[in-house]
Every structure is written in C-alpha cells, then in structure tokens.
Amino acid sequence: MRDLVLLCIGTDKITGDCLGPLVGSKLKQRKFPYPLYGTLEKPLHAGNLTEQLPEISLVHPDACTLAIDAAVGTKNHIGLVSLSRQPLSPGKGVARPLCPVGDISITGIINEASVSSEILLPYTSLYLVDKLAEYICKGILNSDLPQAR
C-alpha cells in the first residue's frame, strides 16, 4: 500500500480560502498520523505551491496525495463537500488556475461562483468554513485509513 500525504491548500489571509489550512490545523491538533502540508501556521498556497510540490514529491516519492481545498459552486451547493478520484485545480474558481494537485481530492463549496468570486472570498462566512473544515476533518479521522508506519 502507498503512503498517504495530505496537501491542505489555501491561505490564512482570506476567509474564503482558509478551508484547506484550517483542516490541516485541526488534523494536526488531533495528532493525525500521516504527513500533512498546509496549516494556518504554514499554509500551502498559490504563492508557494509550485515551489513546494517538487520538494514534497522528493520526500514522499510514491505517496498517494489527498488534496483539500475550498471551491466555489452554485448557490444551492454552498456548504457541500465533494470527494473525487481526480486531482483538483487550485485557483480555478478565481480564474488563476495552477497545476492540478493530488491523486484524490476533497473540496468544500464555500461561496457562489460568479465573475466577482475573488472579490467575495474575504466576505465568506468563517462559521461556514469552520463547519466544513470540522466535517472534513471528522470524515478523514473516521475513515478506514490503515495505521501509519
């Protein structure tokens, strides 16, 4: 079985983009046994992602990566979480797509997709983001992951 590595993507500076680092911080506080990158203290974001990914790949060459990030969607989908067997595309919701990240991915819909998505991100409800982060965190901790080596 391949090792698991979590990539919790986002920044602590914008409420609508802190879902990944918030999940990372919550998992670290609960002593998550797998390697994890991206917390509120040390975010993995657009400014350092392309630099960090090769370094992470060197340290964990055969790992299965689970990427976690916030996303925008339709008004009816705000608050939903999705799990995919596909990588995610960070920055896509604000028209600044970066390279695809992760072998599998989890996204939480934090706001409505629109031409002004980037402008709305700082005004996203922290309550909603925290609830989604807690839900994702509990889902990961309650999953059937094998014990870390």
Side-chain angles (χ1 to χ4, degrees):
M1 168 165 240
R2 293 166 61 191
D3 290 334
L4 176 68
V5 173
L6 267 62
L7 305 174
C8 301
I9 300 166
T11 180
D12 63 326
K13 296 181 182 349
I14 300 171
T15 308
D17 197 29
C18 71
L19 179 66
L22 193 53
V23 170
S25 291
K26 286 175 180 283
L27 288 170
K28 276 214 182 235
Q29 288 170 351
R30 292 173 176 143
K31 310 286 189 237
F32 186 67
Y34 293 91
L36 182 152
Y37 297 86
T39 62
L40 292 172
E41 182 181 5
K42 292 183 180 179
L44 184 60
H45 52 68
N48 66 11
L49 190 64
T50 53
E51 172 187 304
Q52 292 285 319
L53 287 178
E55 292 176 21
I56 293 168
S57 292
L58 280 174
V59 176
H60 310 283
D62 296 319
C64 174
T65 54
L66 168 58
I68 302 167
D69 198 5
V72 293
T74 65
K75 190 174 187 174
N76 294 342
H77 289 158
I78 295 172
L80 297 180
V81 172
S82 68
L83 171 64
S84 175
R85 292 182 181 181
Q86 307 277 330
L88 55 81
S89 298
K92 186 177 179 182
V94 291
R96 287 189 304 189
L98 300 165
C99 63
V101 179
D103 297 305
I104 53 179
S105 59
I106 296 175
T107 54
I109 310 296
I110 51 85
N111 218 324
E112 191 172 358
S114 70
V115 291
S116 58
S117 290
E118 190 168 11
I119 295 166
L120 294 175
L121 287 179
Y123 304 103
T124 299
S125 164
L126 180 57
Y127 177 80
L128 170 66
V129 176
D130 184 61
K131 286 295 178 192
L132 286 171
E134 188 63 30
Y135 182 80
I136 292 168
C137 184
K138 284 181 179 176
I140 291 170
L141 291 171
N142 292 324
S143 67
D144 252 349
L145 293 172
Q147 292 301 312
R149 294 178 223 163

